[in-house]
Amino acid sequence: MTSLKIPILLLKTKSIPNDSYEEYFSIPSSLFAPVFVPVLEHKPNASNLEQVKKLLQEGELKRRYGGMIFTSQRAVEGFAQVVQELERARNLAENEEEHIVVGNEHSELGSTQTQLLPSVPPTTSTPIFPFYTVGPATSRTLRTLLSTSPTILGPLHPEILGSDTGNGEALAKYILEHYRTLFQPQSQLHTSKTSQSSSNDGDGEDFNNNKSPPSLPPLLFLVGEQRRDIIPKTLMSPSLSPEQRTQVEELVVYGTGVMESFPTDLERALQMCQNHASTGNTGPDMGIERNTQRSDSWQSNIVVVVVFSPSGCKQLLRRLGFLDEGDQARSPPSVPTTAISLPLDPSSSSSSAAAAPPPPPPPPLRNLTLLLKHQQSGQTGSAVASSIDPSTTARPRYIIATIGPTTYAYLQTSFNYQAEICAETPSPEGVGKGVEAFLRKEGLL
């Protein structure tokens, strides 16, 4: 059995201290060798994170909100930073109190510390405080946070929910069905009490008849500057009844932008793969962060590129030569993109090629292995085979995979480009299984 690995370019920043994608794709039995190419840089919104901190300090989070929503790992990390700061401050204050001599000085200091970091007071709201999450990565980070910060988060009675939904639309539907059930008993109790009051008080009947149904407390949604609005639109839709409608308050806790170094880093990573395809080695260190897998054990004819967000997609597709001058997918492409797109009629390919204007410089060949396989078996026309520039035959086939349906749809709507793979779940396992299934289906494994 060959030990050659397929390079898989992960267009994301490597998480610290541990990255679940590196762990998954670096195990000895893995078919892949991960290469990280950072795309986005995230800058925390200090003033808004300070608002979250104040809500926790003053015990207002559970008074004002019925739960929180997280759809971004960066939002979870910002929240975790605030919680951990408060946890450290609380622990430090408690340790100092233990060593201070009892007296006026101790009382004054203790009073000051209590004012800065009060305990979360008892509340009459829902017994649990849901943390709604969109996927396994955000859920894992929150679970770790809950276990390491019991003093700050414990009084909230938080519960992590929705981690299997996978995208914002599915999470919104889950919240719509689940959230109101947390308050249903209270609504019934409220109705019962107001009915009893109206029977004992002459003015109560008019008040009860005019009172609207009790509304659900709002949800706090920690977001980035760039985000979809599917969750607020779904939960606050005017088509919902007042009992179902939920106010969503968005708070921007980080900004996002494409890193200035992304085009250069992408070029280096692709050149590294190109050099290996041509010569069997990457040459000098290209400066791209990757795992310890030696590049001389890579396969040279396939490269998988995993896209995690719409950001950077245009630069990627342009660099690979998949877009025309109007930033739309080449149609027909200058080289076939999949086995099923290979023309069955050689004459039709010849005539279309003759009528077409001179093509731009040939893009990297994406399906050399399949093309040669079909050519040798006589399943492709000579016109297709002869149209291949020999200078491109050493280039690997680039296979595009997306982390989920949002990015997959973005490629289609923005560039008329259809990625080969859309992960069923936004996780290392979802990506890995999707890529492996595609490669086996295409006869590349």
Side-chain angles (χ1 to χ4, degrees):
M1 177 180 293
T2 180
S3 61
L4 294 180
K5 302 283 187 177
I6 298 173
I8 181 167
L9 305 188
L10 304 168
L11 301 193
K12 68 181 291 289
T13 301
K14 182 178 175 181
S15 299
I16 302 298
N18 300 310
D19 189 282
S20 58
Y21 285 86
E22 181 182 42
E23 293 173 352
Y24 180 84
F25 288 114
S26 298
I27 60 176
S29 60
S30 172
L31 300 172
F32 306 97
V35 180
F36 289 88
V37 184
V39 180
L40 301 176
E41 59 181 352
H42 308 280
K43 298 180 180 179
N45 187 316
S47 61
N48 286 351
L49 285 174
E50 189 64 27
Q51 291 185 41
V52 177
K53 185 176 183 178
K54 187 175 181 181
L55 287 171
L56 286 167
Q57 280 181 313
E58 299 179 356
E60 287 294 318
L61 185 61
K62 197 166 184 178
R63 286 199 191 104
R64 290 178 54 179
Y65 302 100
M68 298 180 70
I69 304 173
F70 299 91
T71 60
S72 163
Q73 183 71 12
R74 302 302 170 184
V76 175
E77 291 173 358
F79 181 67
Q81 178 183 339
V82 168
V83 171
Q84 289 166 353
E85 287 177 1
L86 292 175
E87 189 77 19
R88 286 193 296 267
R90 174 67 65 83
N91 292 337
L92 179 61
E94 291 177 351
N95 291 337
E96 288 180 348
E97 286 181 356
E98 292 178 358
H99 295 86
I100 294 178
V101 178
V102 177
N104 292 335
E105 182 181 2
H106 171 269
S107 300
E108 293 174 2
L109 182 58
S111 174
T112 301
Q113 291 168 336
T114 302
Q115 184 178 2
L116 290 174
L117 292 167
S119 299
V120 178
T123 176
T124 57
S125 62
T126 176
I128 70 165
F129 190 81
F131 284 169
Y132 292 111
T133 68
V134 77
T138 50
S139 297
R140 282 194 299 267
T141 305
L142 283 172
R143 287 194 186 94
T144 301
L145 183 65
L146 293 181
S147 65
T148 57
S149 305
T151 305
I152 302 301
L153 295 181
L156 296 176
H157 303 291
E159 186 171 334
I160 301 171
L161 301 165
S163 60
D164 296 330
T165 52
N167 59 69
E169 182 178 2
L171 178 61
K173 292 178 180 178
Y174 174 81
I175 295 174
L176 195 60
E177 293 298 320
H178 175 269
Y179 186 53
R180 60 193 175 96
T181 65
L182 300 177
F183 300 88
Q184 201 166 28
Q186 294 183 25
S187 301
Q188 294 171 353
L189 179 62
H190 177 84
T191 303
S192 174
K193 286 183 177 180
T194 54
S195 299
Q196 182 179 1
S197 174
S198 63
S199 65
N200 296 331
D201 189 340
D203 296 331
E205 184 173 355
D206 292 336
F207 174 80
N208 188 51
N209 289 338
N210 295 326
K211 187 174 179 63
S212 60
S215 59
L216 298 173
L219 291 167
L220 179 60
F221 189 8
L222 302 187
V223 298
E225 287 178 341
Q226 302 177 13
R227 76 274 188 185
R228 297 180 68 201
D229 59 358
I230 183 64
I231 291 179
K233 278 188 173 181
T234 300
L235 298 183
M236 297 189 296
S237 173
S239 64
L240 297 174
S241 66
E243 294 88 348
Q244 291 179 308
R245 196 177 306 131
T246 303
Q247 185 71 22
V248 178
E249 295 186 16
E250 295 179 297
L251 186 63
V252 177
V253 294
Y254 70 94
T256 303
V258 177
M259 298 179 67
E260 292 184 6
S261 63
F262 171 65
T264 301
D265 291 342
L266 176 63
E267 179 65 30
R268 287 176 176 174
L270 295 174
Q271 191 62 48
M272 182 170 64
C273 296
Q274 176 65 40
N275 289 345
H276 189 269
S278 301
T279 65
N281 60 74
T282 61
D285 183 8
M286 303 303 292
I288 301 297
E289 185 177 24
R290 61 181 187 271
N291 72 325
T292 56
Q293 175 69 41
R294 289 173 54 86
S295 60
D296 57 10
S297 64
W298 289 4
Q299 290 192 30
S300 61
N301 59 343
I302 304 171
V303 176
V304 178
V305 184
V306 183
V307 181
F308 288 80
S309 76
S311 300
C313 286
K314 182 183 290 186
Q315 293 96 318
L316 171 68
L317 296 180
R318 278 180 174 177
R319 169 58 182 82
L320 295 179
F322 296 165
L323 301 182
D324 59 21
E325 293 76 4
D327 285 333
Q328 292 296 299
R330 296 186 183 277
S331 180
S334 56
V335 294
T337 56
T338 63
I340 59 174
S341 69
L342 297 176
L344 299 177
D345 183 2
S347 61
S348 65
S349 177
S350 299
S351 60
S352 62
L365 185 61
R366 300 173 64 199
N367 66 330
L368 175 61
T369 303
L370 283 179
L371 182 60
L372 293 179
K373 180 189 299 183
H374 286 278
Q375 180 181 354
Q376 292 168 359
S377 63
Q379 297 178 17
T380 58
S382 58
V384 175
S386 62
S387 67
I388 302 297
D389 187 330
S391 65
T392 67
T393 56
R395 300 189 182 190
R397 175 186 179 184
Y398 290 96
I399 297 171
I400 306 299
T402 66
I403 187 65
T406 300
T407 305
Y408 186 87
Y410 172 80
L411 293 178
Q412 286 186 310
T413 57
S414 300
F415 310 109
N416 195 29
Y417 181 87
Q418 184 171 349
E420 286 88 344
I421 301 154
C422 177
E424 291 189 2
T425 58
S427 65
E429 294 80 5
V431 172
K433 290 178 180 178
V435 171
E436 185 174 345
F438 175 82
L439 295 178
R440 294 191 185 281
K441 179 181 177 182
E442 296 286 295
L444 299 175
L445 287 180

